Amino acid sequence: MRRIDERVWGWLGPIGVALLAFATRVWNVGSPNQLLFDETYYAKHAWSMLEVGYARDAVTGADDKIAAGQTTDLFTELPTQVAHPEGGKWMIALGEHFFGLDGFGWRISAVVVGALTVLVLARLVRRLTGSTWLGCLAGLLLCVDGMHFVMSRLALLDGFLTFWIVCAVACLVADRDRIMRHLETSGSWRPLRPWQLLAGVCFGMAVATKWSGLFPLAVAGMLVVGWEVLQRWRSPWRDPETPLLHWWTRTLLFVGGPAFVSLVVVALVVYVATWTGWLVHHEVYAQRFDLGDGNRFSQLWQFHLLDYRFHTGDFLADQSHPYQSSAWGWPVLSRPVAVEAQNDLPAVMCGAGPGDSCIRVITLLGNPLVWWLGSAAVVACAAMWLWERAWRYGLVLAMIAALWLPWFRYDDRPIFSFYAVTMLPFIIVAICLVLRDVWAAAGVVARRVLIGGIVTYVLVAVGLFWWFHPVLTGETIPRSAWEARMWFRAWI
């Protein structure tokens, strides 16, 4: 009976936290009813894809027309060059299909996906730690993080990318549990692995959202093969008489081959499928961008090369943006991004005092308590991995490296701190893993102290979320109140 209760609570707890995340994110999500920051690209591309199957150039003044409620005559007939793949925009289009071209319609998909990310993270941490309360803690920390909160209320791509990566890793951890249990009783091969196949689908959608999803796919593929090969090496079912070179070659082939198909090949199929609209209308792209006379797939490849040159060429290196930041500072929130700001509004709009004015700002600012303690926890994970070589710590470190280190290559062009939202779930996993080990090592008295510390930490994190809430949602507040929340000059 107790085991049944644990399984039930293992779902009810994470679902409850996910519903809380949904409620906080969906409230007033349609305001302001105007395209903010890069929504001007993705929301319009999504609507065009719904209308004709591909993204087109917008007419002059399209943003103002959309804000006024106009939904027709917004585009030319010419296809536009896209800086990112189609998968995330199709997800935005799903919300627009059901709710229309307004602030709620182009943001509701982000709200749903943000809440689902909380659910999947909570379940992932529960599996990694064996603890329902740690899983719920992980979900709650993601729920009250300002950066993830704002990303879940905007039609930007990084929130969708985060969701698919967390889903993929959760699938691979489930697959690892199953194969490890199997290897305890048998040395046979299991080429068909449902969880691994599902991870391939999720990675395909991640890459189809942003090409930076390739890095965690590559790292995860190496982890999957490494986990199983090492376990087979330690397995009592291994024949010690088999020549070493033959064993390693055979094992790598029989483990790596199916993993490559399940992850890479499946991801490629899913990725190409998200370009169906482009493939159907390839001739309009071929004509505008001079993609040659080949078939639609070769033209799609040429289109990718065109985009690659755009992302890696000198054009972006010569650009600058007031909110760009170095990847070094992302884990400590060195430079948040204001996606919308209205300064010096009349004092009467917010009841500001004499000599004060009002301001409306939506800032992509993480919860300092989550990020700062999380960064320390990542360092602790690195030390514990060096000491124990525990696979859980290795997983956290590998995923953070895959999602963070590649950006140092592009430090010469405008990159933004909110790209780090993909790292956040794994930073939270690091917190929970450290808590798990501290709890396991603590005695009765130490655990009572630890409980008090954890409760205090959660209350302060929730309090900080409430404190920063006005600058996360664009509430009209006195300028002095905004300045009180901008703790550092670099935050302004």
Side-chain angles (χ1 to χ4, degrees):
M1 184 68 177
R2 181 182 176 187
R3 181 166 183 170
I4 295 176
D5 291 342
E6 287 177 353
R7 292 186 63 181
V8 170
W9 280 111
W11 278 104
L12 289 181
I15 289 173
V17 179
L19 289 175
L20 175 63
F22 178 82
T24 59
R25 284 152 172 76
V26 78
W27 175 81
N28 204 29
V29 72
S31 178
N33 187 39
Q34 62 189 64
L35 295 163
L36 305 178
F37 205 64
D38 283 351
E39 284 186 333
T40 187
Y41 304 113
Y42 310 134
K44 288 188 296 193
H45 289 177
W47 188 255
S48 175
M49 289 159 63
L50 277 178
E51 286 192 323
V52 298
Y54 63 94
R56 294 169 292 171
D57 284 339
V59 300
T60 302
D63 287 17
D64 293 334
K65 294 178 180 179
I66 291 171
Q70 184 174 331
T71 60
T72 58
D73 300 323
L74 301 173
F75 305 99
T76 71
E77 295 301 317
L78 295 175
T80 190
Q81 181 177 353
V82 294
H84 299 290
E86 309 281 59
K89 286 171 279 189
W90 279 118
M91 297 183 73
I92 294 170
L94 192 63
E96 293 176 343
H97 170 73
F98 287 107
F99 298 101
L101 186 63
D102 57 23
F104 187 89
W106 65 65
R107 294 177 187 138
I108 185 59
S109 292
V111 172
V112 173
V113 164
L116 288 176
T117 307
V118 170
L119 173 62
V120 177
L121 177 64
R123 290 290 300 173
L124 169 61
V125 170
R126 184 182 184 274
R127 184 179 287 275
L128 286 171
T129 63
S131 168
T132 296
W133 76 265
L134 278 174
C136 292
L137 174 64
L140 182 60
L141 292 180
L142 188 61
C143 175
V144 299
D145 178 75
M147 184 183 296
H148 188 263
F149 173 81
V150 178
M151 291 301 299
S152 301
R153 290 168 53 87
L154 293 173
L156 303 184
L157 299 180
D158 299 81
F160 298 103
L161 176 62
T162 303
F163 169 70
W164 290 117
I165 292 172
V166 173
C167 286
V169 172
C171 290
L172 291 181
V173 172
D175 174 73
R176 185 189 185 280
D177 282 356
R178 293 190 67 180
I179 194 63
M180 295 306 163
R181 287 196 300 268
H182 171 73
L183 291 177
E184 290 176 0
T185 58
S186 172
S188 63
W189 305 99
R190 297 190 67 176
L192 185 61
R193 309 258 281 272
W195 282 113
Q196 211 174 77
L197 287 168
L198 188 56
V201 173
C202 293
F203 273 126
M205 286 303 301
V207 179
T209 301
K210 269 194 164 183
W211 287 303
S212 54
L214 283 168
F215 298 111
L217 169 58
V219 169
M222 291 186 285
L223 283 176
V224 165
V225 174
W227 288 337
E228 186 172 346
V229 169
L230 289 176
Q231 186 62 24
R232 288 185 178 276
W233 175 255
R234 303 186 186 109
S235 172
W237 303 95
R238 179 174 65 87
D239 183 3
E241 302 298 324
T242 304
L244 191 61
L245 180 60
H246 175 72
W247 184 91
W248 278 100
T249 302
R250 180 172 178 268
T251 304
L252 285 171
L253 178 64
F254 278 81
V255 172
F260 181 83
V261 173
S262 296
L263 295 177
V264 178
V265 175
V266 169
L268 177 62
V269 171
V270 171
Y271 175 79
V272 174
T274 64
W275 287 90
T276 298
W278 194 103
L279 292 168
V280 170
H281 302 280
H282 68 101
E283 68 283 347
V284 297
Y285 284 94
Q287 182 177 357
R288 180 168 190 189
F289 297 107
D290 192 21
L291 302 179
D293 298 325
N295 62 46
R296 64 193 67 203
F297 291 101
S298 67
Q299 290 172 342
L300 180 61
W301 174 249
Q302 291 299 321
F303 190 71
H304 276 65
L305 293 178
L306 185 69
D307 276 337
Y308 177 78
R309 288 191 290 269
F310 169 79
H311 282 287
T312 59
D314 294 335
F315 171 74
L316 287 179
D318 295 334
Q319 303 299 307
S320 64
H321 193 282
Y323 288 109
Q324 70 186 70
S325 58
S326 170
W328 284 112
W330 293 353
V332 292
L333 307 176
S334 63
R335 182 64 171 155
V337 176
V339 297
E340 195 255 353
Q342 295 183 25
N343 298 291
D344 299 322
L345 299 173
V348 69
M349 293 183 66
C350 62
D356 206 348
S357 61
C358 298
I359 187 172
R360 289 186 70 253
V361 182
I362 298 176
T363 309
L364 279 159
L365 173 63
N367 191 315
L369 201 60
V370 175
W371 283 85
W372 294 347
L373 183 67
S375 297
V378 172
V379 174
C381 281
M384 293 298 292
W385 182 81
L386 289 172
W387 181 259
E388 297 182 4
R389 293 295 193 275
W391 71 272
R392 292 174 179 84
Y393 292 122
L395 171 65
V396 169
L397 297 173
M399 296 312 300
I400 290 177
L403 295 165
W404 184 33
L405 297 183
W407 291 110
F408 290 94
R409 168 66 179 80
Y410 302 104
D411 240 7
D412 61 339
R413 62 202 63 218
I415 55 177
F416 303 95
S417 59
F418 66 82
Y419 296 171
V421 72
T422 56
M423 295 164 44
L424 177 60
F426 303 100
I427 290 174
I428 292 173
V429 172
I431 294 174
C432 294
L433 289 180
V434 171
L435 281 176
R436 168 183 173 268
D437 285 355
V438 171
W439 179 268
V444 175
V445 176
R447 285 188 175 183
R448 290 174 182 169
V449 175
L450 186 59
I451 290 173
I454 293 171
V455 171
T456 301
Y457 173 73
V458 170
L459 291 176
V460 175
V462 173
L464 283 175
F465 176 69
W466 170 83
W467 170 249
F468 286 110
H469 193 268
V471 299
L472 303 176
T473 57
E475 182 181 334
T476 304
I477 58 175
R479 188 175 185 86
S480 57
W482 171 74
E483 291 173 347
R485 289 162 173 80
M486 297 295 102
W487 291 354
F488 307 100
R489 178 174 291 274
W491 285 13
I492 297 175

